[in-house]
Every structure is written in C-alpha cells, then in structure tokens.
Amino acid sequence: MITLREATLQDLPEMLAIYNEAVLHSTATFDLEAQTLEERAIWFHNHGGKYPLIVAELDSKVAGYACLSPFRAKPAYAYSTELSIYIDAGFRGCGVGSALMTDILNRAATLGYHTVISGLVGGNEASRRLHEKFGFAYIGAFQEVGLKFGEWHDVHFYQLFTDKKS
C-alpha cells in the first residue's frame, strides 16, 4: 500500500538517492553531477507552504517524491507552478507516479494555482504517458537545449489547468 505524506528532513537521504540516480543514469534532469546532501537540503528548504514537497512510501521506503516550485519569479506568474516527480527505479510501474500525481494536483488546486506546467525531456515516454493520463496537454518544445551524455536533448512542455473542467 502506498502512503503519501509531507516530506521531512529525515527523508532527504532517500530523496537524494532517487535524484542522484536520475542525474547519473537518465536525462530526466539536466544536472550533470550527483548532488550532495547539503545541496539538496537547500532545495528542500525552498519547499513547503505554497510549494509542497510530498513523498510516497511503499514497503517502508521512500518510493518517490513530487513537488511544486515557482514557474517564474515575476509576480504575474503567481498562479502558475512547475511540477516535478521522481520515482525510485525499483518502484517504477507500481502506481507510485499516479499516486503522487493525484495528490500533488489536488494540492495545486487547493492552493489556488490556475495552471501546472511540466518540462519533460524528449523520449521520456513513461513521464509523457503519466502526464497525459492526468489530462496534461502538450504545448510545445524547446529543441536541443540540454547536452547530456554527449547528445542534445529537447524539452517538451505539458500544461494542465487546475480550475477548468475538460
């Protein structure tokens, strides 16, 4: 059974391991070097309140996490937010992504966000399917904006309006 809850500092080592696996073995993030616990602590403290950070637990382990972050810094963007979801490689395909997405989108709506935006690297089919399952629409791409593992990668943007019924 998947348990969802607010992330705590005690979760940070497991969240760091999940993130660093993505850094070192995938294009899900454009960070090129593994992060330290201190670097991720700074990231952690930028969340809470209007920018929730949640974890999914499965088998007494942090199986994944999701967060909302500022889309852009200017005041007119206050009702837009950016979504990130990372799943432990050992728990992919177990429903963790769907559970996190359901919870974080409910939080986005409750917090009064008008729109949620995600940037997905081209070719990340699992993430694309997850976003489309929840009603996100493809809105465009920046081509060849990230160089990782010796190749150029596109970033595809998906958007969901939280206050409109489709």
Side-chain angles (χ1 to χ4, degrees):
M1 184 169 134
I2 299 170
T3 303
L4 300 168
R5 60 175 174 74
E6 296 282 337
T8 67
L9 271 175
Q10 289 75 23
D11 299 318
L12 199 51
E14 288 177 281
M15 291 191 305
L16 175 66
I18 292 168
Y19 187 74
N20 280 341
E21 188 277 332
V23 169
L24 298 173
H25 302 287
S26 81
T27 55
T29 175
F30 282 174
D31 274 328
L32 300 176
E33 295 180 10
Q35 299 231 318
T36 66
L37 196 56
E38 293 77 21
E39 289 170 320
R40 267 332 241 188
I42 293 168
W43 165 84
F44 179 90
H45 289 298
N46 286 325
H47 290 89
K50 192 157 174 73
Y51 302 108
L53 172 58
I54 60 172
V55 296
E57 282 185 322
L58 188 58
D59 299 333
S60 301
K61 295 182 180 181
V62 173
Y65 64 89
C67 63
L68 298 178
S69 301
F71 173 64
R72 299 263 170 98
K74 295 185 178 173
Y77 291 111
Y79 296 96
S80 299
T81 189
E82 187 167 358
L83 165 70
S84 296
I85 295 180
Y86 288 89
I87 310 298
D88 184 287
F91 291 102
R92 292 181 189 142
C94 298
V96 173
S98 291
L100 284 166
M101 183 72 86
T102 298
D103 190 276
I104 204 74
L105 291 178
N106 286 336
R107 289 170 188 254
T110 299
L111 288 165
Y113 286 110
H114 173 66
T115 188
V116 178
I117 298 165
S118 288
L120 315 177
V121 71
N124 187 340
E125 291 302 306
S127 191
R128 180 192 58 78
R129 284 191 305 271
L130 178 64
H131 281 76
E132 289 178 352
K133 173 182 173 181
F134 281 86
F136 280 78
Y138 171 78
I139 57 170
F142 292 146
Q143 296 181 346
E144 298 184 8
V145 293
L147 181 63
K148 189 166 182 181
F149 304 133
E151 295 181 19
W152 288 105
H153 298 278
D154 301 344
V155 176
H156 296 234
F157 289 91
Y158 286 78
Q159 182 176 22
L160 178 74
F161 292 100
T162 62
D163 53 3
K164 294 182 180 177
K165 303 295 178 203
S166 44

